[in-house]
Amino acid sequence: MSMHNIRFDFVCQRPVPLYEHLCNQYLDRSELNISIGKVSDPKTDHIRYFIEAFATQAELEAFADDIANDFLLSVWLLDTHIERIEQHSGLHKPFDIKSNYSGLPLYFCQHCQPKFGDNQQSSFGDINLQCSHCMGHEKLSRDEKSLTQTDITTMTNRLLADKSLPLPILGLTLWLTPPAKILTPVIQPNADVQGTTSSQAVLPENQAAQYQRPRILICNPNSLNSHFIVNDSQVLALSSIEKPLLRVRPSSDHPSLLAPLYEIQFAENRLLVILTEVLRQKGINWVHVTTDIDPHTSRDALVDKPLRLASINQHWLPITTLGNGAIPLPTNVTCLRDKNHYQDDQHTFTANTTKTSIAWQASPIEPASSRLVSATAKNSIEESAPISTSLCALNAALLRCHSTKKNNKPQFVKHAAVLYFSQRNACQIVTLDRQSEADLFFEMPELPLSGYEICQSLSESPQKSLLDKFKQLFPAEYNQLLDLHIQADDGALSQLMAVATLIIGAYPLETAQRVTVTELADKFIALAMSHHGNNAPRIDFPLTKGAAHRSLNWCKTLGTLMSFKLAGETNLAKLAFAFHDSFADYLSHWIEHLDQNIGIKQLIIAGSEFANPVLTDRVQLRIGKNFPLVVNPLLDFDGVNIAIGGLYLKQRRG
């Protein structure tokens, strides 16, 4: 009976705690002489977990089936393969799994979920079902443990009767119909000092209400494709152990999903698995979700913030990582400080270095102070230099760890540029030349804060005649534009898209409520996503040369859109797509110009605006073929990466 040595490989973009846990469990199978290992590829930074076994053909086939069942799909899994080997290179000792991994234990796995989550099973609804594979029963809060199957059925009935169900233990409310107020009004501190009532005091500021992109929990995964436009990689990601939230658009002309974009997700914990299964039986395919943290919310629910992902370079990346974590200390660039903070309007990110790693913590800002802080947060690391946030993003994207390489002399990034487009900070193109000297090449202009002032600027520009014709032919759209209110902390690119949405007439006129920049920008992106084909008219994005850096002549950009509208273009999806495609094409020309001047060897993309799939696709297509786009596969787009990049920020001269 012939024996074989076989190795099973799992190539991952970043560490997957479950795989380490499973490797350790497989070590206990002494009959197959198992060894395990974990290696990092110095070129790609991918992590390869492997299990080696020595056994007969029949034993190995059974073993392969077990592995296929146990190694659940992770969103970070890039590739798997099985190969014959001459000898083992792994070890017989278990991995040291850090106790602070938020990924372990899982809430449920393929062994226990069918038992408590399938209504045909006798143990259906048993939230405490013990599972030796994932230990999910250990992850329940005290409140969850006390729930019986009857309690959960009662909850479902309440949802069906009341159309909403608060779940304070999870910090969520489920809704059968879209919640009336997706706008969350901002409470103005001490608003009633001047003797006004507080409700009046909130009204003038009501535009500071933040549009919450609607969030949906899928109850019936089989119905997904009939309600949302999703591709195969998105379906796999939704089904993965991480249960991320993905930004997608509803099917065209959907009778009840009326928002432009939704964040959708599958059930991520035991309580939601059981609730969604009962709802599925009752013919409900999805429910709306709002978050509302309350004193009863369990610590785990607060820590396990949903993972919001965007796709870039065929990789998934978190837009902003909201959990704590660590990466090995990079060896290719010299770290200049051992601690750094970055704060956006909702979270504080702190990065610390040790001899071997960089660790980070993310913590929510207290709600009361967040509004007061947001204006300063934007500039907290920007007092000395207005480009430091972009430089942080640039540095972070290039950090790599090669355990074999040790550089004795200081290493700084050079010949690099970053496209940093953020909804929270200035949208910029910043470069580092061969001396590692930084320069701001381009910054997206902030628009005036009211539609009235935007129209004023247009009428004082060479676009005046277009504006006059537009006002005459499309008075309703013109009035809609006059009514627009922009917040100072709306991202510059989103602002421009919001105005473009109103100019092309893409927002329904009968809506009485005042609309936010985020919702308008979402509408514009959703339109661009619905465009079929690659041909589109050209929209102008002319540069203006300021004293310090270049900016955009946005009046001309909006004027081009008006002229297409006046010429009778009714295909709004085509215009929205054209805006994205033309912008990417202009970016491509600017990058080529920079390349001739300073030589760009690494082009980084970062910032929350790249969660827009059309922008990312067009930039990839227009620029990526000449300048491969760099992201750091271990970090996020806009958050932790800024805190970590700040550890590498050279003090500017001057």
Side-chain angles (χ1 to χ4, degrees), residues 465-467 469-470 473-474 503-504 537-539 558-572 574-575:
S465 60
L466 278 171
L467 182 72
K469 280 186 204 148
F470 181 79
L473 279 178
F474 302 105
I503 285 175
I504 65 173
R538 190 159 176 81
I539 309 290
L558 297 176
T560 320
L561 285 167
M562 281 182 193
S563 60
F564 280 114
K565 184 80 179 152
L566 290 165
E569 178 59 80
T570 54
N571 184 339
L572 305 187
K574 187 160 135 193
L575 287 178

Side-chain angles (χ1 to χ4, degrees), residues 39 104 116 170 215 258 265 450 454 486 512-513 543 547 647:
V39 286
L104 277 177
F116 72 78
L170 300 180
R215 178 172 161 189
L258 306 176
Q265 167 181 47
S450 74
I454 290 169
I486 292 176
Q513 86 185 56
L543 286 176
L647 298 167

Side-chain angles (χ1 to χ4, degrees), residues 544-592:
T544 61
K545 181 78 178 91
H549 61 270
R550 290 155 198 80
S551 187
L552 183 71
N553 175 353
W554 56 268
C555 287
K556 185 83 171 84
T557 306
L558 297 176
T560 320
L561 285 167
M562 281 182 193
S563 60
F564 280 114
K565 184 80 179 152
L566 290 165
E569 178 59 80
T570 54
N571 184 339
L572 305 187
K574 187 160 135 193
L575 287 178
F577 176 81
F579 177 101
H580 285 82
D581 187 53
S582 301
F583 185 50
D585 194 36
Y586 274 89
L587 288 173
S588 166
H589 289 305
W590 303 340
I591 295 296
E592 278 166 23

Side-chain angles (χ1 to χ4, degrees), residues 21-66:
H21 169 73
L22 288 168
C23 286
N24 287 355
Q25 284 194 330
Y26 274 72
L27 268 184
D28 297 340
R29 298 191 176 193
S30 50
E31 73 281 7
L32 298 180
N33 183 22
I34 286 177
S35 50
I36 60 173
K38 170 176 147 183
V39 286
S40 185
D41 179 332
K43 282 201 187 69
T44 58
D45 269 338
H46 294 160
I47 292 163
R48 180 168 62 86
Y49 296 105
F50 63 86
I51 297 182
E52 298 161 326
F54 180 62
T56 64
Q57 182 74 24
E59 287 174 318
L60 286 170
E61 284 172 8
F63 187 63
D65 288 343
D66 288 347

Side-chain angles (χ1 to χ4, degrees), residues 18 41 52 61 94 174 187 210 213 223 242 258 325 362 407 446 506 509 547 557 610 637 644:
L18 174 70
D41 179 332
E52 298 161 326
E61 284 172 8
L174 306 183
I187 305 306
Q210 268 237 276
R213 190 171 293 111
S223 73
E242 288 80 10
L258 306 176
N407 289 313
E446 301 267 337
L509 291 163
T557 306
F610 282 108
F637 266 156
I644 288 178

Side-chain angles (χ1 to χ4, degrees), residues 56-251:
T56 64
Q57 182 74 24
E59 287 174 318
L60 286 170
E61 284 172 8
F63 187 63
D65 288 343
D66 288 347
I67 284 187
N69 284 329
D70 287 342
F71 275 74
L72 298 180
L73 180 68
S74 165
V75 85
W76 312 126
L77 179 67
L78 302 171
D79 197 10
T80 59
H81 29 255
I82 304 178
E83 60 183 83
R84 255 193 192 159
I85 51 173
E86 290 302 311
Q87 59 192 54
H88 287 210
S89 58
L91 300 170
H92 295 286
K93 69 183 242 262
F95 294 129
D96 175 24
I97 299 182
K98 298 180 184 63
S99 57
N100 63 356
Y101 266 146
S102 61
L104 277 177
L106 298 177
Y107 280 104
F108 53 84
C109 68
Q110 81 288 8
H111 294 282
C112 57
Q113 194 238 341
K115 296 177 187 160
F116 72 78
D118 176 353
N119 65 350
Q120 300 299 310
Q121 298 290 329
S122 58
S123 48
F124 173 60
D126 177 5
I127 198 170
N128 288 296
L129 185 82
Q130 300 217 347
C131 180
S132 58
H133 295 272
C134 67
M135 313 301 273
H137 55 284
E138 293 184 358
K139 202 161 180 175
L140 296 169
S141 66
R142 197 166 32 178
D143 288 342
E144 285 169 295
K145 281 185 182 143
S146 67
L147 294 171
T148 63
Q149 189 189 344
T150 319
D151 294 333
I152 298 175
T153 311
T154 309
M155 286 178 174
T156 326
N157 293 336
R158 189 181 322 150
L159 174 60
L160 296 171
D162 301 350
K163 304 283 186 276
S164 71
L165 172 70
L167 293 170
I169 47 180
L170 300 180
L172 303 174
T173 300
L174 306 183
W175 309 75
L176 280 191
T177 51
K181 271 193 107 42
I182 292 201
L183 288 177
T184 48
V186 173
I187 305 306
Q188 295 302 309
N190 307 328
D192 46 8
V193 177
Q194 289 86 17
T196 56
T197 67
S198 53
S199 62
Q200 281 174 334
V202 176
L203 284 176
E205 263 292 324
N206 201 21
Q207 208 28 43
Q210 268 237 276
Y211 171 75
Q212 297 283 314
R213 190 171 293 111
R215 178 172 161 189
I216 293 260
L217 173 64
I218 304 292
C219 302
N220 181 0
N222 295 332
S223 73
L224 186 66
N225 284 22
S226 53
H227 300 292
F228 295 96
I229 310 285
V230 284
N231 59 34
D232 293 348
S233 75
Q234 288 172 314
V235 174
L236 286 174
L238 288 166
S239 317
S240 69
I241 53 177
E242 288 80 10
K243 300 288 179 282
L245 273 172
L246 298 187
R247 195 178 299 183
V248 299
R249 71 186 180 89
S251 309

Side-chain angles (χ1 to χ4, degrees), residues 399-417:
L399 299 176
R400 298 291 183 268
C401 178
H402 310 315
S403 47
T404 49
K405 281 189 188 166
K406 289 282 176 278
N407 289 313
N408 297 332
K409 58 181 204 287
Q411 299 283 315
F412 298 106
V413 176
K414 39 177 151 325
H415 293 298

